[in-house]
Amino acid sequence: MKKRISKDEYYLQIAKSVAQRSICLEMRRGYGAIIVINDTIVSTGYAGPARGVANCNEVGECIRNSLKQPKYGSYDQCPSVHAEENVIINAARHGSKVFDGTMYLFGINSDGKISPGLPCPRCRRVLINAGIKEVVTMNEENNIIRYTVNDWIEEDSKTYINNIEKIKKK
């Protein structure tokens, strides 16, 4: 008898399909996200420029690569809107509720391997404010990873307080 995949695997496979719409000339990483509430997909989003804005493929060059910027940084140089942001924005455009939802996030590296989907600090704040309760992703070994969004509130607060204390000591 064929083994049925879990709901988490099912939703992550859908998020993987969404990630394939990500546009990045160098395909540093492509991400896809979906939000599920009560076993229903309410929104999808992938990493890419804002609607109508030129993208790397059209221009023929990645500005972050041209500036020799490291991965996981210099996001202000890139015209891309993150998948985590787009999934929330797309829900809002269609009047869909995301509060208390679970976001499934799937990342693909340029070599086709899985990129663990850990939202950046900016996206974490978006997910906190949107009321997402959990983020489910997968690591390189195909293990499912769960993040409780409320945990990020405490982490972000500690980081902010520590940074303020460092500044005061100078």
Side-chain angles (χ1 to χ4, degrees):
M1 177 178 356
K2 181 181 175 192
K3 181 183 180 266
R4 190 175 189 193
I5 64 172
S6 71
K7 286 286 184 156
D8 286 338
E9 292 168 317
Y10 167 70
Y11 288 129
L12 284 167
Q13 284 182 16
I14 294 169
K16 180 180 180 180
S17 292
V18 174
Q20 293 174 19
R21 285 282 303 156
S22 290
I23 205 135
C24 182
L25 184 65
E26 299 298 321
M27 191 57 176
R28 286 174 165 225
R29 284 174 314 282
Y31 284 99
I34 66 170
I35 294 176
V36 175
I37 297 177
N38 295 326
D39 208 21
T40 301
I41 298 170
V42 297
S43 186
T44 67
Y46 54 87
R51 286 172 171 81
V53 173
N55 64 61
C56 299
N57 285 340
E58 294 170 339
V59 176
E61 191 167 347
C62 169
I63 191 162
R64 288 174 60 206
N65 283 348
S66 297
L67 295 171
K68 297 182 180 18
Q69 298 298 312
K71 291 183 176 185
Y72 299 106
S74 304
Y75 295 124
D76 57 328
Q77 301 296 325
C78 179
S80 183
V81 179
H82 293 185
E84 302 95 320
E85 296 168 314
N86 268 329
V87 74
I88 301 291
I89 293 165
N90 289 338
R93 287 175 62 96
H94 296 282
S96 297
K97 171 190 154 192
V98 298
F99 186 81
D100 213 25
T102 299
M103 187 184 78
Y104 289 84
L105 179 63
F106 194 93
I108 304 170
N109 284 319
S110 58
D111 60 6
K113 294 181 181 173
I114 294 172
S115 175
L118 179 60
C120 71
R122 181 181 77 193
C123 288
R124 287 182 185 193
R125 294 178 192 122
V126 169
L127 298 172
I128 290 166
N129 280 357
I132 299 298
K133 65 179 178 183
E134 182 177 44
V135 174
V136 180
T137 188
M138 185 176 279
N139 65 15
E140 299 94 337
E141 293 81 32
N142 291 321
N143 297 317
I144 292 173
I145 301 169
R146 305 181 102 72
Y147 297 102
T148 302
V149 174
N150 278 339
D151 291 345
W152 295 338
I153 295 169
E154 187 176 335
E155 288 175 29
D156 206 28
S157 295
K158 283 181 183 177
T159 300
Y160 180 69
I161 291 166
N162 288 338
N163 287 339
I164 291 294
E165 289 173 358
K166 287 177 187 175
I167 291 168
K168 285 182 180 180
K169 288 180 182 179
K170 288 185 178 182

